Amino acid sequence: MARIIAIGSGMDEAINAASVILALGRPVAIPTETVYGLAADATNPAAITSIYQTKGRPRFNPLICHMANLEMAEQHADFDPLSRRLAEHFWPGPLTLVLPLKPESDIHPLATAGLDSVGIRVPVGFTGDLIRHFGRPLAAPSANSSGKISPTTAAHVDDDLGGKIDLVIDGGACEVGVESTILKIEDGQIRLLRPGGVSVEAIEAFAGMAVERPKVAGTAIIEAPGMLASHYAPNATVRLNVTSVAKEEALVAFGATPISGEADAVMVLNLSPAGDLAEAAANLFDYLKRADASGAQGIAVVTIPDHGLGEAINDRLVRAAAPRDAEGNSA
């Protein structure tokens, strides 16, 4: 099983232990403000391969490369003026920018799935400190088996991948709880590739322009993580926008409105009794995992408002509920 080091017991110990494993070309599970990531040296092909193997992740699905700061990011990608403005305003934070990869960058093509672009973000807290100490960018998708519910605690990581990795850094529960927002600037326009921890409304307010949203989830060319039609999926089937719940289902609620049948549900978990979307986002993956572990045949989810962080929540729920074939792949 993986060794678990809590940041609270010593930041230096956690950074040094993680750096040793990373230098060996092996992945480490690390906390970020969004979800826990499975991090490895983005310049080392063997290390990147270990991420794909550990997760069972398809290699056509690119990885986000995390940087210590904007200066490090500039060594690897070309920034147009609008991307730079967005980076300067929202970094460090839960925003990923897909940018042209510089020819001289030593990020390995395995991390970008062979694309001539790279997804980059600068995370808050421990991961940024680790990257500064390690001195190289870290490729870090979510620290879970591919396609399954993303982890927001060290225990989530240990339950899923603990037998496959050497080290988990425990930074407590993730503050944001959903992955980063992913944007790409094309012809001066902002394209949303994945909603996430920075709301579209906040981006539009800062940029002074509309953000172009994908027309249909899961139909676009894979340019960034989180674009597969089926993703973030529990083992149980998921029903969305319910007004009633069956006895064999677990209910994931939101707000104070009662739902028909909830007294007889296998389990009731309320993302935010007060109707707070930030609280709901922080609880989303943990509650889906708990509902899935309850033994319920299905998970019924009430309607979640689609503004602010609700857009990211609904994106994850739609992908969690997407049809899968007999082997659990998207249909």
Side-chain angles (χ1 to χ4, degrees), residues 87-127:
E88 290 173 344
H89 183 74
F90 289 105
W91 284 353
L95 176 69
T96 294
L97 296 171
V98 175
L99 301 160
L101 187 67
K102 284 186 171 179
E104 63 270 26
S105 171
D106 57 357
I107 291 174
H108 196 273
L110 281 173
T112 64
L115 300 173
D116 59 4
S117 60
V118 59
I120 290 179
R121 91 173 183 98
V122 175
V124 174
F126 172 83
T127 298

Side-chain angles (χ1 to χ4, degrees), residues 166-246:
D166 298 307
L167 180 64
V168 179
I169 303 299
D170 185 354
C174 297
E175 181 179 355
V176 176
V178 292
E179 294 85 352
S180 61
T181 303
I182 303 180
L183 302 178
K184 185 176 184 180
I185 309 303
E186 287 185 329
D187 300 323
Q189 301 298 308
I190 306 174
R191 286 180 57 214
L192 177 69
L193 300 185
R194 181 182 74 183
V198 178
S199 71
V200 170
E201 289 90 340
I203 294 162
E204 290 178 331
F206 171 74
M209 60 190 300
V211 171
E212 178 186 339
R213 289 171 166 86
K215 294 179 174 61
V216 181
T219 62
I221 296 170
I222 303 301
E223 301 176 79
M227 295 183 71
L228 297 175
S230 178
H231 205 46
Y232 317 106
N235 294 313
T237 57
V238 178
R239 289 196 305 123
L240 304 180
N241 302 313
V242 304
T243 56
S244 64
V245 57

Side-chain angles (χ1 to χ4, degrees), residues 40-287:
D41 184 349
T43 70
N44 181 339
I48 299 164
T49 296
S50 71
I51 291 177
Y52 285 110
Q53 291 175 335
T54 301
K55 285 177 61 68
R57 181 185 177 97
R59 298 194 185 194
F60 60 78
N61 198 1
L63 306 175
I64 292 173
C65 293
H66 296 69
M67 306 287 170
N69 46 43
L70 178 56
E71 291 70 29
M72 179 182 278
E74 289 177 316
Q75 297 172 24
H76 298 279
D78 287 318
F79 283 76
D80 59 89
L82 180 52
S83 293
R84 179 178 296 280
R85 284 182 57 217
L86 291 166
E88 290 173 344
H89 183 74
F90 289 105
W91 284 353
L95 176 69
T96 294
L97 296 171
V98 175
L99 301 160
L101 187 67
K102 284 186 171 179
E104 63 270 26
S105 171
D106 57 357
I107 291 174
H108 196 273
L110 281 173
T112 64
L115 300 173
D116 59 4
S117 60
V118 59
I120 290 179
R121 91 173 183 98
V122 175
V124 174
F126 172 83
T127 298
D129 294 336
L130 174 61
I131 296 167
R132 276 185 284 276
H133 183 270
F134 187 62
R136 293 190 290 280
L138 296 180
S142 56
N144 58 292
S145 297
S146 185
K148 298 302 182 181
I149 303 170
S150 298
T152 54
T153 67
H156 292 164
V157 179
D158 193 40
D159 288 345
D160 187 355
L161 300 181
K164 298 180 179 181
I165 59 177
D166 298 307
L167 180 64
V168 179
I169 303 299
D170 185 354
C174 297
E175 181 179 355
V176 176
V178 292
E179 294 85 352
S180 61
T181 303
I182 303 180
L183 302 178
K184 185 176 184 180
I185 309 303
E186 287 185 329
D187 300 323
Q189 301 298 308
I190 306 174
R191 286 180 57 214
L192 177 69
L193 300 185
R194 181 182 74 183
V198 178
S199 71
V200 170
E201 289 90 340
I203 294 162
E204 290 178 331
F206 171 74
M209 60 190 300
V211 171
E212 178 186 339
R213 289 171 166 86
K215 294 179 174 61
V216 181
T219 62
I221 296 170
I222 303 301
E223 301 176 79
M227 295 183 71
L228 297 175
S230 178
H231 205 46
Y232 317 106
N235 294 313
T237 57
V238 178
R239 289 196 305 123
L240 304 180
N241 302 313
V242 304
T243 56
S244 64
V245 57
K247 290 182 179 180
E248 66 275 10
E249 291 181 313
L251 175 66
V252 176
F254 176 81
T257 302
I259 300 298
S260 175
E262 66 178 283
D264 297 319
V266 173
M267 170 184 281
V268 178
L269 297 166
N270 196 317
L271 293 170
S272 174
D276 184 324
L277 288 169
E279 180 183 17
N283 286 330
L284 177 64
F285 289 138
D286 181 52
Y287 284 13

